[in-house]
Amino acid sequence: MIEVQNITKRYGRTTAVDDVSFRVERGEILGFLGPNGAGKTTTMRILTGYMPPTEGRATVAGYDVFTHPIEAKQRTGYLPETPPLYPDMTVREYLDFVARIKGVPSRERRDRVTSAMQRTHVADMASRHCSKLSKGYRQRVGLAQAIIHNPEVLILDEPTAGLDPKQIIETRELIRGLAGDHTIVLSTHILPEVAQTCQRVVIINRGRVVAIDTPEGLTSRLQGAATLYVQVDAPGVDATETLQGLPGVSRVALSDQRDGVRGYEVESARETDIRREIARAVVSRGWGLLELRPMRMSLEEIFLQVTTEETPEEAVSEQRP
Amino acid sequence: MNSVRNVLAIADKELRSYFASPIGYIIIGLFALLFGWFFYVYLTFFVQRSTGMAGMGGGATNINQDMIRYVLMNSAVIILFVMPMITMRTYAEEKRSGTIELLLTSPLTDVQIILGKFFGAMGLYAAMLLVTLLYMGILFIYGNPEWRPIASGYLGLLLMGGCFISLGLLISSLTKNQIVAGVLTFAVFLMLWVINWIGDQSGPTTRVIVNYLSIVDHFDDFARGIIDTKHLVYYLSFITFGLFLTAKSVDSERWRG
């Protein structure tokens, strides 16, 4: 349904998106996870035809977004980070206008507007001006706008940002409800969100894809091994065997060596902390223990940057002025 | 067919947005007021002069050439002042509020969006001119002016306004801030008006070139009741060029991000 091939976007000298590729199958919900400024919005803007990539190509529903923009856009619904509402229109007027520019035939327009309002639960606000809507309603009207022409593909940029917990739950349910008929790409910087709504996750950081997997797959990867870095001053002696012999150690590898000082990577099961045992073993043999620290995988680093818990404060600070 | 529909959808939305806030009413009211003022001044002047001429027993006066023409020429200057208020928000406001993302990700071409915005602004401008036809009606009730020069004068006003609008759209597409767009548009309009003051002081060649550039200068013949192809071509190519540059500006924005 969606195919992204080696997309790169540069602004002057900075590279916002660097060689990103992924696929989304029909009816799937794909989560785009990454810290703020990772390149999520840029990738989505390229997918929706808002801006062209510097390199690479993207197809939506079989149409290249750059060479056949009209066809691709007809099949795409897009909710940008801030819902693109016109403050002086009422919700109904606004949705009617969007239906018009998305090419909904005039005799179907009324029904489409009504059904989009019902699906997103904004019908009670139909004659209210967009400027008078609360944040939660603005987001939902934004969602109504995205589905109004019944597109095959939905692209949602941080659909739950700035909502209160109750609204977040409602919005997620709404998105899951849309999944059957639509192929959905949504971005978020909140870890539990992808686990709850998405079937597959693309983790992106500094413009690069770090991992593509199912939420379960990612979790098990994270719960895998922990690695320690140990530097030992023991001239002429290889400490590999000693370290290997310690309980809980699954693998030891020599990583660097200089003037009799050797560095080792020691892998162990995640739950067991074997630093004390290592220190004792090294010291008891009369060697110098110069360094002992945990090594992080890049995936884990990203996970530490993305929010692992949802807090109301976080939701508030995310609101753009 | 589809493209006409899209242009109309945008034009309709633009026109409505003028009247959703007081801005549309203020512009029309302000213009009607100033136009009325000039109308009154020139009418009084014309009446005095024609009664004076009649007392001296000679010298026919023509209401088309001696009054309406000056009213229309002066209204061209009012338009120059009012127009930045119409065009300044067109693109700048969409960019600031992020609604430009909706337009640019909808199945519309840039040209359709630009034409929609152009015709939307033209709609408001036409409404402004329509109100002033009431004043002309008064002349028809109490006298018998010729309608053809009036028609050519209004055609000229429409075309001249079209130039202002296409230029205003271009400037609005360059910034996110509608105040910046407004001030800049006003400055450029003013330049294009006063440019022939320099022309009058300089040599014959410069004068011809400079007068040619002045948007308002091309209107003189229309006000006199003359529709000259030269001026038609000037106005239409000016409008086209302005819209073309706007399209380029919107497109380049897209590449820069």
Side-chain angles (χ1 to χ4, degrees):
Chain A
M1 204 73 222
I2 300 173
E3 196 160 353
V4 174
Q5 291 170 356
N6 311 97
I7 273 186
T8 298
K9 178 75 186 176
R10 291 189 202 96
Y11 302 104
R13 274 194 198 156
T14 54
T15 306
V17 174
D18 193 0
D19 199 24
V20 165
S21 304
F22 60 89
R23 286 172 63 95
V24 192
E25 305 302 330
R26 182 179 292 272
E28 194 179 24
I29 307 186
L30 179 89
F32 230 58
L33 182 68
N36 291 319
K40 292 174 295 192
T41 299
T42 306
T43 310
M44 293 190 141
R45 283 179 162 177
I46 291 168
L47 272 180
T48 53
Y50 178 72
M51 53 167 69
T54 317
E55 280 161 37
R57 51 182 242 131
T59 41
V60 169
Y63 292 96
D64 188 302
V65 292
F66 190 52
T67 57
H68 294 87
I70 301 293
E71 288 85 351
K73 286 172 185 176
Q74 271 164 354
R75 290 160 180 81
T76 312
Y78 175 41
L79 172 64
E81 224 170 330
T82 28
L85 308 182
Y86 289 103
D88 47 20
M89 289 188 193
T90 65
V91 171
R92 187 182 285 280
E93 281 170 356
Y94 171 69
L95 292 175
D96 189 68
F97 167 69
V98 177
R100 265 179 98 175
I101 59 172
K102 301 279 182 187
V104 175
S106 48
R107 62 200 129 71
E108 288 174 37
R109 229 153 58 207
R110 230 189 130 75
D111 293 344
R112 286 285 182 79
V113 169
T114 311
S115 85
M117 285 196 297
Q118 277 165 358
R119 287 181 87 176
T120 54
H121 312 293
V122 292
D124 47 334
M125 293 289 162
S127 48
R128 179 155 322 183
H129 279 97
C130 292
S131 56
K132 299 262 179 358
L133 294 175
S134 68
K135 177 78 190 163
Y137 270 106
R138 295 173 69 86
Q139 202 74 23
R140 278 190 263 170
V141 173
L143 212 52
Q145 163 275 127
I147 62 171
I148 195 131
H149 54 305
N150 207 12
E152 296 168 49
V153 171
L154 274 180
I155 294 177
L156 312 172
D157 198 352
E158 304 250 356
T160 57
L163 300 182
D164 65 43
K166 185 168 165 284
Q167 293 167 333
I168 290 178
I169 293 167
E170 283 172 5
T171 309
R172 279 181 197 155
E173 274 169 10
L174 194 63
I175 293 169
R176 273 199 298 267
L178 293 170
D181 318 330
H182 310 270
T183 304
I184 302 177
V185 176
L186 67 86
S187 76
T188 180
H189 62 278
I190 302 166
L191 187 54
E193 184 153 295
V194 280
Q196 285 174 30
T197 37
C198 305
Q199 284 134 21
R200 239 153 34 93
V201 188
V202 173
I203 297 183
I204 183 169
N205 190 37
R206 295 201 197 98
R208 284 174 172 278
V209 172
V210 181
I212 304 182
D213 209 337
T214 58
E216 297 76 29
L218 286 176
T219 319
S220 66
R221 272 210 228 177
L222 272 175
Q223 287 166 347
T227 311
L228 293 171
Y229 178 78
V230 187
Q231 202 176 50
V232 179
D233 180 16
V237 188
D238 192 343
T240 309
E241 237 156 84
T242 315
L243 292 169
Q244 192 90 63
L246 291 171
V249 172
S250 54
R251 195 180 67 90
V252 178
L254 185 67
S255 74
D256 58 279
Q257 183 173 8
R258 189 164 48 85
D259 304 337
V261 177
R262 290 183 173 86
Y264 304 91
E265 282 172 24
V266 182
E267 237 175 72
S268 68
R270 178 162 286 268
E271 309 82 58
T272 49
D273 188 350
I274 54 161
R275 281 176 294 180
R276 285 176 203 83
E277 283 76 11
I278 291 176
R280 215 171 288 135
V282 169
V283 174
S284 67
R285 277 168 183 76
W287 302 332
L289 180 59
L290 300 182
E291 213 175 326
L292 177 58
R293 61 181 163 85
M295 286 178 78
R296 288 212 177 94
M297 294 143 57
S298 63
L299 187 63
E300 190 179 356
E301 260 176 69
I302 311 310
F303 268 80
L304 287 173
Q305 282 181 47
V306 301
T307 321
T308 45
E309 276 169 79
E310 296 168 67
T311 57
E313 290 81 10
E314 212 273 333
V316 169
S317 69
E318 268 306 300
Q319 275 188 29
R320 293 211 309 196
Chain B
M1 190 54 220
N2 254 345
S3 45
V4 174
R5 231 182 60 139
N6 290 340
V7 171
L8 282 181
I10 302 284
D12 183 36
K13 175 226 127 196
E14 288 290 314
L15 198 54
R16 272 176 208 231
S17 78
Y18 289 123
F19 293 104
S21 64
I23 183 98
Y25 300 99
I26 290 174
I27 288 173
I28 290 181
L30 194 76
F31 183 66
L33 188 76
L34 289 169
F35 191 94
W37 173 251
F38 280 112
F39 184 84
Y40 172 74
V41 168
Y42 279 102
L43 187 62
T44 328
F45 185 64
F46 176 75
V47 170
Q48 274 172 2
R49 218 180 107 184
S50 49
T51 46
M53 291 284 203
M56 290 192 312
T61 48
N62 178 328
I63 191 157
N64 283 100
Q65 291 305 320
D66 297 326
M67 188 227 155
I68 298 173
R69 182 183 151 204
Y70 292 110
V71 173
L72 293 183
M73 279 171 66
N74 277 293
S75 68
V77 178
I78 316 172
I79 289 164
L80 189 148
F81 279 86
V82 172
M83 212 54 113
M85 288 189 254
I86 296 182
T87 59
M88 64 184 195
R89 48 181 290 172
T90 45
Y91 266 99
E93 182 62 17
E94 303 249 22
K95 283 210 249 175
R96 194 196 56 78
S97 71
T99 46
I100 193 78
E101 264 190 273
L102 170 66
L103 296 183
L104 294 187
T105 57
S106 292
L108 307 167
T109 63
D110 288 355
V111 173
Q112 286 165 5
I113 298 171
I114 291 164
L115 284 180
K117 286 183 173 293
F118 176 75
F119 286 120
M122 279 302 269
L124 178 65
Y125 177 54
M128 276 162 58
L129 293 182
L130 216 61
V131 173
T132 66
L133 283 180
L134 289 176
Y135 298 107
M136 295 298 159
I138 296 172
L139 293 181
F140 277 97
I141 293 170
Y142 294 101
N144 53 344
E146 253 198 276
W147 68 270
R148 270 180 264 253
I150 298 180
S152 92
Y154 274 86
L155 174 70
L157 282 182
L158 268 181
L159 287 169
M160 189 194 67
C163 294
F164 285 145
I165 289 172
S166 85
L167 196 57
L169 277 180
L170 170 64
I171 294 169
S172 184
S173 75
L174 297 172
T175 171
K176 259 184 192 179
N177 184 326
Q178 50 170 316
I179 304 298
V180 170
V183 171
L184 219 69
T185 310
F186 181 65
V188 172
F189 285 1
L190 215 56
M191 276 295 296
L192 284 172
W193 176 40
V194 301
I195 198 167
N196 62 340
W197 295 1
I198 312 164
D200 293 342
Q201 308 293 322
S202 48
T205 329
T206 329
R207 187 186 313 172
V208 172
I209 297 169
V210 162
N211 281 358
Y212 189 76
L213 287 176
S214 167
I215 295 183
V216 180
D217 251 33
H218 286 267
F219 175 64
D220 283 359
D221 274 345
F222 285 101
R224 283 203 191 95
I226 303 161
I227 302 179
D228 190 334
T229 343
K230 177 173 81 178
H231 302 311
L232 274 180
V233 168
Y234 172 85
Y235 278 149
L236 291 176
S237 45
F238 193 106
I239 292 170
T240 314
F241 189 57
L243 297 180
F244 169 76
L245 287 183
T246 312
K248 288 290 143 200
S249 150
V250 173
D251 197 42
S252 79
E253 181 87 2
R254 187 175 271 164
W255 284 93
R256 274 180 283 134

